[in-house]
Amino acid sequence: MSVSPSVSASPQVSGTPKTPTQADLLDFVRRTAADTELIASLPLDPEGRTWVRLEGPGGSEAWLIGRPPGTGTGWHDHADSVGAFLTAAGELKENSLAARLPTDGWKTLELTEGVDRERRLPSGQGRGFGRHHVHEVLNESRDRHAISVHAYYPPLPQIRRYSRTGQVLRLEHVERPQDWQ
């Protein structure tokens, strides 16, 4: 299902949509998260994530995602897309890597000490990120759903999924758009 939020979605330059930047995407997720009617309309499932695709700025891909208590995304990246996400309800935790990983040709990497970053993102807080950003997003609440808004440009060509044991990161599989449509 596609929902178009009531916020203006496309930055304009001389009447033509421009390629959205991280700042544009972050502005979009902030404005969309402020649409309380849209946020309240997301059906929530006690056992699994729910989502609605949104119309993002300048041809970007955008999603409204509901996360049940105690769930997470697992480690992943968004390939060549830049992006932004913001917590619209509840609180999320983001674990990320402050390191640029090789994009192709590897299955296992040993991470160096000091690359781990942790962010708490309560309602109204979010962040933008660049290409090949590796992270996991968690709803650590025991009793409350979290809802977040996400936007990516260009639209996601793939998502690489990883497993992690200590300092070892392993590429497990690659998802393509048809896997999550």
Side-chain angles (χ1 to χ4, degrees):
M1 168 171 29
S2 180
V3 175
S4 182
S6 60
V7 296
S8 173
S10 295
Q12 298 284 318
V13 174
S14 303
T16 305
K18 71 172 187 150
T19 299
T21 65
Q22 283 182 44
D24 295 329
L25 297 174
L26 190 54
D27 180 59
F28 170 80
V29 298
R30 279 190 182 116
R31 290 181 292 122
T32 303
D35 183 341
T36 55
E37 188 175 319
L38 175 66
I39 302 308
S41 74
L42 181 66
L44 300 176
D45 182 327
E47 296 184 22
R49 288 192 314 169
T50 54
W51 57 89
V52 174
R53 188 165 187 162
L54 306 172
E55 181 139 351
S60 65
E61 181 171 347
W63 298 90
L64 178 62
I65 301 175
R67 302 168 188 282
T71 62
T73 62
W75 287 95
H76 66 282
D77 72 15
H78 305 98
D80 291 320
S81 298
V82 297
F85 74 101
L86 186 132
T87 305
E91 180 176 280
L92 294 171
K93 174 183 168 186
E94 180 197 33
N95 294 320
S96 64
L97 301 178
R100 180 143 176 112
L101 303 180
T103 57
D104 292 309
W106 66 275
K107 294 282 186 188
T108 303
L109 284 177
E110 185 154 350
L111 302 171
T112 59
E113 295 293 325
V115 299
D116 290 300
R117 299 293 180 266
E118 178 183 309
R119 286 182 179 84
R120 295 274 173 192
L121 300 165
S123 185
Q125 297 294 308
R127 67 177 308 246
F129 54 85
R131 290 168 166 69
H132 310 290
H133 177 69
V134 177
H135 69 164
E136 68 175 346
V137 179
L138 308 164
N139 176 7
E140 295 184 319
S141 173
R142 293 178 186 217
D143 58 4
R144 186 169 180 210
H145 271 76
I147 299 174
S148 53
V149 181
H150 303 251
Y152 311 98
Y153 189 86
L156 295 172
Q158 64 185 14
I159 294 177
R160 289 180 285 248
R161 299 270 177 195
Y162 305 97
S163 64
R164 182 165 180 193
T165 305
Q167 293 302 106
V168 177
L169 188 70
R170 286 185 180 82
L171 176 63
E172 295 293 340
H173 69 279
V174 177
E175 295 177 3
R176 308 236 181 261
Q178 59 269 24
D179 298 327
W180 63 79
Q181 296 293 329

